[in-house]
Amino acid sequence: MVKVSPSMLSADFSRLGEELKRIEDAGADWVHIDVMDGMFVPNITIGPLVVKALRPLSKIPFDVHLMIKDPIRYIEDFAKAGADMITVHAESGGNTMKAIEKIRSFGRSPGISLNPGTKFSKVRRYMDKVDLILVMTVQPGFGGQAFREECVAKISEARKFIDDNHLNVEIVIDGGINRETGKKCVAAGATVLAAGSSLFSNENMKEEIMLWRTFDKT
Ligand code: DX5
Ligand code: ZN
């Protein structure tokens, strides 16, 4: 069944604890936490202190998406703050393989992400080292952008590679996901849908999540 990971980026930042509860009450599988440094992307969001503050409020897995330069510098902080999955970008500089190994060394699940302009071939060599691949379907930095259709082929490419090599890797899609684009992504092979604006603007997040769970590969 498709998993859903609502993105805190669309939450009310003055009430993050309550928003986390709202996500949990809606039956979400994970919560997606977007970390931005104003360098890798032109926006700044939250850091490990916020993750640490939220951790005791919920048992839901924290899916932490690092949109920061040279992310190896902060892996220990996010692991200790209580992140369950930690995803780094292929374009973020530094030694990506070492960053992935470091995430694993803290007993966390590593993920690799790629921007819309980055080819799947750039991340192929990490696929037997990670637990998830996060395919960006918008340019990272801001919520509420339009889904980029041209990225769907990359989802199919990742699906084929994972299946051909009998790997156990989740395919997470992030950016512009709603009930239409989410369905397309699942048909192409996605297993997890991360979404901010479409879920938070919906008065009944629970019903929306239940609908997305019914998507299948047909
Ligand atoms: C964008 C973030 C996304 C963002 C998605 O840089 O990585 O996780 O929250 O927001 P929507 O679903 O509004 O495109
Ligand atoms: Zn994200």
Side-chain angles (χ1 to χ4, degrees):
M1 199 149 55
V2 181
K3 294 189 183 72
V4 181
S5 187
S7 168
M8 288 291 261
L9 191 61
S10 294
D12 176 347
F13 272 38
S14 70
R15 301 166 40 251
L16 283 181
E18 289 160 54
E19 294 284 65
L20 180 62
K21 288 240 182 298
R22 180 179 166 200
I23 289 171
E24 193 170 35
D25 292 346
D29 299 275
W30 302 349
V31 58
H32 187 84
I33 301 178
D34 287 304
V35 176
M36 306 186 187
D37 66 352
M39 297 285 284
F40 179 65
V41 290
N43 197 3
I44 302 180
T45 55
I46 64 177
L49 291 178
V50 177
V51 174
K52 190 176 175 195
L54 291 172
R55 186 67 282 181
L57 305 181
S58 172
K59 286 196 165 40
I60 193 167
F62 282 4
D63 156 32
V64 173
H65 178 193
L66 297 184
M67 286 160 278
I68 64 177
K69 265 195 173 170
D70 198 6
I72 199 165
R73 299 173 297 144
Y74 288 99
I75 282 164
E76 181 167 1
D77 290 354
F78 282 102
K80 290 186 172 164
D84 297 278
M85 286 74 89
I86 302 178
T87 297
V88 296
H89 266 262
E91 311 85 357
S92 60
N95 189 324
T96 302
M97 195 63 95
K98 280 214 162 70
I100 289 168
E101 286 164 3
K102 191 161 182 181
I103 296 165
R104 190 73 80 187
S105 77
F106 283 100
R108 309 303 184 192
S109 288
I112 183 77
S113 183
L114 67 179
N115 286 343
T118 304
K119 291 195 165 69
F120 176 71
S121 58
K122 178 134 194 246
V123 301
R124 202 178 280 143
R125 68 198 194 96
Y126 307 118
M127 295 309 290
D128 62 344
K129 305 281 188 296
V130 296
D131 291 342
L132 68 90
I133 173 172
L134 192 157
V135 178
M136 290 299 306
T137 41
V138 298
Q139 190 61 24
F142 300 93
Q145 302 179 73
F147 179 82
R148 294 172 65 152
E149 297 282 344
E150 74 270 21
C151 301
V152 175
K154 204 158 36 178
I155 303 171
S156 313
E157 204 180 343
R159 177 80 274 150
K160 186 174 183 327
F161 185 84
I162 290 165
D163 291 347
D164 288 352
N165 292 280
H166 311 288
L167 297 171
N168 188 16
V169 176
E170 300 271 17
I171 303 180
V172 187
I173 315 301
D174 185 15
I177 297 297
N178 55 38
R179 56 175 82 167
E180 285 82 31
T181 58
K183 199 172 186 175
K184 275 186 208 169
C185 294
V186 173
T191 58
V192 185
L193 300 173
S197 37
S198 67
L199 289 177
F200 276 87
S201 65
N202 194 308
E203 280 184 10
N204 199 333
M205 194 192 282
K206 187 175 194 160
E207 241 173 44
E208 192 66 18
I209 289 176
M210 273 160 49
L211 174 76
W212 293 14
R213 287 232 179 79
T214 65
F215 297 161
D216 55 31
K217 292 183 185 181
T218 51

